[in-house]
Amino acid sequence: MFEQILAPVGESLVLSALLAATPLAVLFVLLGVFRVKAHKAALTSLVLSMLTAVFVWQMPVSQLLSATGEGILYGLIPILWILMNALWIYKLTVVSGWFEVLGARIRRISNDQRVLAIIIAFCFGALLESLAGFGAPVAISAAMLMAAGMKPLKSALVSLLANTAPVAFGSMAAPIVTLAAVTGIDMHTLSQMAGRQTPFVAVIVPLILVFLVDGRRGLRETWKIALVAGLVFGLAQFLTANYIAAELTDIVASVATIPAVLLALRWWKPKTELVFEEAGTDSRIAPLPGAGTVHRGMGATLTEVPQSTRRSTFLSVMPYLVIITVFAVSQIPAIKSWLSSVGSVTFAWPGLNVTDASGKAVAAQTFKLEHLKATGTLLLISGIIVTASYKISFRQALTAYKDTLVQLRFTIVTVMSVLGLSFVMNLSGQTASLGFALASAGGLFILFSPVIGWLGVAITGSDTSSNSLFGLLQVTVAGQAGLDPVLAAATNSSAGVLGKMLSPQNLAVAAAAVGLAGREGDIFRKLIGWSLALLVLFTALVFLQSTPILGWMVP
């Protein structure tokens, strides 16, 4: 048995935490400062973390290798399994020719980049987050923005930043469900608290999106539309999380926001229109043989597709309707129950016997392998349906999948390395040392509580994993410091979403989705300021909620 050590460096928690943070700091510095390619930066940080785990945290080599293997598999399933199938569906739209038609249909809604950033990345992305989660919303919304002509880098930035407000209630409220399980706090109470925090993020995010797309002019000309989107989404989140059900929060919020934005556009439009550049795929994502042909059994080219028929509009958005339908069907109680019973396997990961400093078994030793139930599998089923509907040949579909894997070759290395790093840090005790060091602030803990949540998602790439990792720690320390445990627990989840845009695996997903693998550092540098600024504002909100000023908001 290996028992984690909280303060292995001179018995100092602070020094131990500084050393524990080194692999993660090196990763971000290599990406953001030295512009090292993500897969090389991730491998470097993984090796550094492994060396630190063995020689400082005294983790047995056999268990270290086992922990690394578990992280690598988790990187493959579910994360890469999702990304591979999401990008495959995108490739199928390119093969069939309907990708370009989709761009034309999107521009009929609005030709303004700023408006479509809100509708596609914020609203539609939130709907995908509510059903699928992980990297699917970023990959799919980025592809849709590119279909309408937005440049790849900007598509990645917009999609990543938009994927913040809905994350705490994503995947049918999986983060809140997990948080309730690990803390023992009533799920509805946690949902209420989170529903009184995330709306503040929702109001700000659309304003940042239009600024990202068009700077100060974009904010000046489209702030009303952005504010409508943020207010409606935030209000819907609050009402659903507090009075209906946590699982439905993002579904209700996204479905309510889309018509609200479209209605607002009928009454008010920006003075000028930031028109998309000519639609088309990036040169690094070359169409496969046969692209430009719509496979409707007639061999019609794109120019022959009627540009205003309802049928062509339906066929252009059909892949995304299929995805929504497949995921919605999977959430029907009877089907969801069946998938849970036969669609996943939970087992103790071989070669691991790890306890935390208090002697409790570390949860990360249990691996849940989802096959039929996995988000990636549901996307694969969606892709098969799209292939049949578009009458794409089996050979072309297979070629598209092969090209997807080739495109993702460096991303695969990046994601597996980052998840290996995450599991090594978690199981060796490095992450615990970080968390306990921040938690040792006593009465000032409330200022570090959001940072712990932010750090948890930045490390793991998942709000659910962060809640599993730090949820109980937040509650325990809050009780010792005389703070409200409900506030601290919910803060871990709500603040965590702000770190998702910087998580290395999510950066890799976004870069791969737009054909910019290797430029994760560019995306990181453009987003880190926004992530930290939002974290500061959120910390101020949480501090006020811990005082009589906004303490009435805590259920």
Side-chain angles (χ1 to χ4, degrees):
M1 185 185 69
F2 166 61
E3 184 174 307
Q4 295 178 348
I5 308 170
L6 286 180
V9 183
E11 297 185 356
S12 169
L13 194 56
V14 173
L15 292 178
S16 300
L18 290 174
L19 184 60
T22 302
L24 197 62
V26 167
L27 175 59
F28 287 144
V29 169
L30 288 177
L31 282 176
V33 179
F34 294 103
R35 304 190 180 192
V36 175
K37 291 186 181 298
H39 65 283
K40 294 180 180 179
L43 282 171
T44 301
S45 297
L46 172 59
V47 171
L48 181 58
S49 178
M50 293 174 72
L51 292 173
T52 306
V54 172
F55 292 107
V56 181
W57 270 263
Q58 302 175 29
M59 188 178 195
V61 174
S62 61
Q63 297 208 45
L64 169 73
L65 296 176
S66 182
T68 306
E70 184 183 10
I72 289 173
L73 181 59
Y74 191 83
L76 178 62
I77 303 173
I79 296 174
L80 286 169
W81 183 230
I82 293 170
L83 180 58
M84 288 186 291
N85 290 307
L87 288 189
W88 178 52
I89 293 174
Y90 156 69
K91 291 280 189 182
L92 293 175
T93 65
V94 174
V95 169
S96 65
W98 286 104
F99 181 78
E100 295 179 34
V101 179
L102 174 64
R105 292 298 178 269
I106 291 175
R107 290 192 295 274
R108 290 188 65 187
I109 299 173
S110 173
N111 219 23
D112 196 311
Q113 293 190 41
R114 302 161 299 189
V115 172
L116 288 184
I118 294 172
I119 294 175
I120 294 174
F122 184 70
C123 301
F124 185 68
L127 181 59
L128 290 173
E129 179 67 33
S130 69
L131 297 171
F134 291 96
V138 172
I140 293 172
S141 60
M144 292 182 71
L145 288 171
M146 285 176 57
M150 185 177 283
K151 291 182 178 179
L153 180 59
K154 190 175 290 184
S155 298
L157 293 173
V158 167
S159 298
L160 277 168
L161 200 141
N163 190 226
T164 50
V167 170
F169 294 97
S171 298
M172 303 302 290
I176 301 297
V177 172
T178 301
L179 189 61
V182 299
T183 62
I185 299 175
D186 177 66
M187 177 179 162
H188 182 61
T189 302
L190 291 172
S191 174
Q192 286 180 309
M193 187 67 249
R196 299 174 192 187
Q197 293 177 320
T198 56
F200 291 95
V201 178
V203 171
I204 298 174
V205 166
L207 296 169
I208 299 177
L209 290 182
V210 297
F211 184 88
L212 272 178
V213 174
D214 194 31
R216 293 182 180 178
R217 183 183 65 175
L219 190 59
R220 184 174 61 251
E221 294 185 355
T222 56
W223 69 268
K224 292 182 181 178
I225 299 297
L227 194 59
V228 166
L231 287 173
V232 172
F233 192 95
L235 179 61
Q237 270 195 326
F238 167 75
L239 293 174
T240 310
N242 278 270
Y243 303 110
I244 304 178
E247 294 88 346
L248 300 177
T249 299
D250 283 343
I251 296 177
V252 173
S254 56
V255 170
T257 306
I258 293 174
V261 171
L262 296 178
L263 184 62
L265 286 171
R266 295 188 61 182
W267 290 93
W268 183 88
K269 291 186 178 181
K271 291 182 180 179
T272 61
E273 193 174 61
L274 184 64
V275 179
F276 279 88
E277 297 177 357
E278 183 178 354
T281 57
D282 185 81
S283 59
R284 282 161 293 198
I285 311 177
L288 298 171
T293 301
V294 180
H295 295 266
R296 298 179 298 164
M298 301 177 0
T301 62
L302 280 175
T303 56
E304 296 175 67
V305 175
Q307 295 299 304
S308 60
T309 64
R310 292 183 178 180
R311 181 173 182 271
S312 61
T313 299
F314 170 76
L315 287 173
S316 67
V317 300
M318 186 266 295
Y320 308 101
L321 296 178
V322 168
I323 291 171
I324 292 172
T325 302
V326 169
F327 278 96
V329 169
S330 72
Q331 297 301 326
I332 295 173
I335 296 178
K336 184 177 181 179
S337 177
W338 179 77
L339 287 174
S340 296
S341 62
V342 304
S344 62
V345 178
T346 302
F347 58 93
W349 187 262
L352 288 176
N353 186 8
V354 182
T355 66
D356 60 23
S358 65
K360 296 181 180 178
V362 177
Q365 299 174 95
T366 301
F367 194 91
K368 187 175 183 180
L369 179 63
E370 295 184 331
H371 37 89
L372 290 178
K373 185 185 176 183
T375 299
T377 303
L378 297 178
L379 285 171
L380 176 64
I381 294 171
S382 301
I384 293 172
I385 295 173
V386 170
T387 300
S389 301
Y390 279 164
K391 294 183 172 62
I392 299 173
S393 69
F394 175 77
R395 184 174 182 178
Q396 279 189 311
L398 198 60
T399 301
Y401 209 103
K402 177 185 175 182
D403 280 18
T404 299
L405 295 178
V406 171
Q407 179 185 331
L408 291 176
R409 61 191 183 280
F410 294 121
T411 303
I412 291 171
V413 176
T414 300
V415 172
M416 286 184 169
S417 299
V418 168
L419 266 297
L421 166 67
S422 173
F423 273 69
V424 168
M425 289 186 67
N426 293 346
L427 286 164
S428 67
Q430 294 174 63
T431 302
S433 296
L434 267 173
F436 274 93
L438 290 171
S440 65
L444 294 176
F445 171 70
I446 197 63
L447 298 178
F448 291 101
S449 179
V451 177
I452 293 174
W454 179 89
L455 187 64
V457 177
I459 294 173
T460 66
S462 164
D463 199 38
T464 301
S465 298
S466 176
N467 287 343
S468 177
L469 189 63
F470 287 135
L472 184 58
L473 171 68
Q474 295 264 22
V475 170
T476 302
V477 177
Q480 295 172 351
L483 300 168
D484 194 306
V486 172
L487 174 61
T491 295
N492 193 79
S493 189
S494 300
V497 306
L498 304 176
K500 194 172 179 70
M501 68 182 84
L502 298 182
S503 175
Q505 57 264 44
N506 286 300
L507 290 172
V509 166
V514 298
L516 296 180
R519 293 187 59 187
E520 292 84 356
D522 294 339
I523 300 173
F524 174 81
R525 285 191 298 276
K526 291 181 180 296
L527 289 178
I528 186 171
W530 293 112
S531 180
L532 293 176
L534 285 170
L535 179 61
V536 170
L537 291 175
F538 193 87
T539 301
L541 168 67
V542 172
F543 174 75
L544 292 175
Q545 288 179 329
S546 71
T547 68
I549 298 175
L550 293 181
W552 52 269
M553 297 182 70
V554 181

